[in-house]
């Protein structure tokens, strides 16, 4: 495989690799480094890439593993997911403040979720991956992913309901 073929192969999913790395590492610079590292590793394996049924899933698995290794080596237990790609079209000021407050609560709640649930909710609800792809990337059973996603969503929903209904009986 030559360089042009490789670029055509990785172009459709390299932004997804970056977004996953940014979610896990938070820092843009570290995410760029992780993305570059994953692409270099893919290039080094370019003769064997045909053996994989989904090169995108393989790249996402490599990204997840690389980022988790970086987090373990630098700052154990300091994983944060930040939702920054939310854009609304000219809502009122009070609506924007309410939305921002709710988003902050969801971020806080997500920070309290186990790492596996955070990854699953990130990949499914934010990155829009299918269950089959998530199962390949995380090396889990699809039904286990559905259960973990359901539990994560329920935890977020319960906390949000409790927060918004505080003092109302």
């Amino acid at each position: 495989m030559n360089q042009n073929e490789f670029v055509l192969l990785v172009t459709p999913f390299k932004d997804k690799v970056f977004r996953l790395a940014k979610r896990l590492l938070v820092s843009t610079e570290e995410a760029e480094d992780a993305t570059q590292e994953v692409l270099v590793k893919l290039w080094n394996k370019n003769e064997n890439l045909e053996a994989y049924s989904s090169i995108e899933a393989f790249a996402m698995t490599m990204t997840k593993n690389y980022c988790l290794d970086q987090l373990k080596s630098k700052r154990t237990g300091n994983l944060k997911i930040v939702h920054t790609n939310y854009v609304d079209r000219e809502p009122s000021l009070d609506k924007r403040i309410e939305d921002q407050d709710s988003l902050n609560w969801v971020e806080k709640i997500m920070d309290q979720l186990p790492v596996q649930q955070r990854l699953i909710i990130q990949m499914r609800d934010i990155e829009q991956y299918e269950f089959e792809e998530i199962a390949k990337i995380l090396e889990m059973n699809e039904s286990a992913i559905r259960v973990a996603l359901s539990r994560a969503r329920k935890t977020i929903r319960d906390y949000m309901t409790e927060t918004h209904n505080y003092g109302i009986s």
Side-chain angles (χ1 to χ4, degrees):
M1 171 182 312
N2 67 32
Q3 189 175 2
N4 290 335
E5 292 170 336
F6 179 78
V7 169
L8 290 174
L9 182 69
V10 300
T11 298
F13 61 83
K14 71 179 180 180
D15 289 339
K16 287 183 179 181
V17 168
F18 173 77
R19 284 193 303 269
L20 178 62
K22 179 135 175 41
R23 288 282 175 205
L24 292 171
L25 299 174
V26 179
S27 163
T28 302
E29 293 80 17
E30 289 182 38
E32 289 170 349
D33 290 345
T35 303
Q36 185 175 9
E37 191 65 33
V38 167
L39 293 177
V40 167
K41 286 180 181 181
L42 280 174
W43 173 251
N44 290 335
K45 294 179 182 271
N46 72 357
E47 298 302 323
N48 302 327
L49 289 180
E50 292 82 26
Y52 297 99
S53 59
S54 173
I55 296 170
E56 179 178 343
F58 179 60
M60 295 304 285
T61 302
M62 288 173 62
T63 304
K64 173 200 69 155
N65 291 338
Y66 178 84
C67 292
L68 292 177
D69 288 346
Q70 290 298 312
L71 289 169
K72 284 178 189 173
S73 68
K74 290 184 183 173
R75 48 198 163 162
T76 307
N78 195 14
L79 183 66
K80 182 179 181 186
I81 295 179
V82 181
H83 183 70
T84 57
N85 59 350
Y86 176 76
V87 178
D88 201 358
R89 302 285 183 240
E90 300 181 37
S92 64
L93 179 60
D94 59 335
K95 178 67 175 152
R96 286 191 312 214
I97 292 171
E98 263 184 48
D99 290 345
Q100 187 60 45
D101 185 52
S102 293
L103 186 59
N104 289 339
W105 276 106
V106 170
E107 288 175 3
K108 288 176 186 175
I109 296 164
M110 285 179 70
D111 286 341
Q112 296 172 7
L113 291 174
V115 174
Q116 189 178 64
Q117 287 183 4
R118 273 187 254 177
L119 285 171
I120 291 170
I121 208 161
Q122 160 75 26
M123 294 172 124
R124 179 66 182 167
D125 291 343
I126 298 171
E127 296 292 336
Q128 303 292 310
Y129 276 93
E130 296 297 324
F131 287 108
E132 182 180 329
E133 294 172 308
I134 298 170
K136 284 181 186 175
I137 293 168
L138 297 180
E139 298 171 356
M140 292 175 63
N141 188 315
E142 279 187 55
S143 60
I145 293 194
R146 290 177 195 276
V147 168
L149 180 63
S150 175
R151 288 180 182 163
R153 287 175 176 166
K154 183 180 184 325
T155 300
I156 292 170
R157 183 174 47 251
D158 290 348
Y159 273 106
M160 290 301 290
T161 302
E162 182 180 313
T163 301
H164 288 314
N165 292 337
Y166 180 77
I168 301 173
S169 297

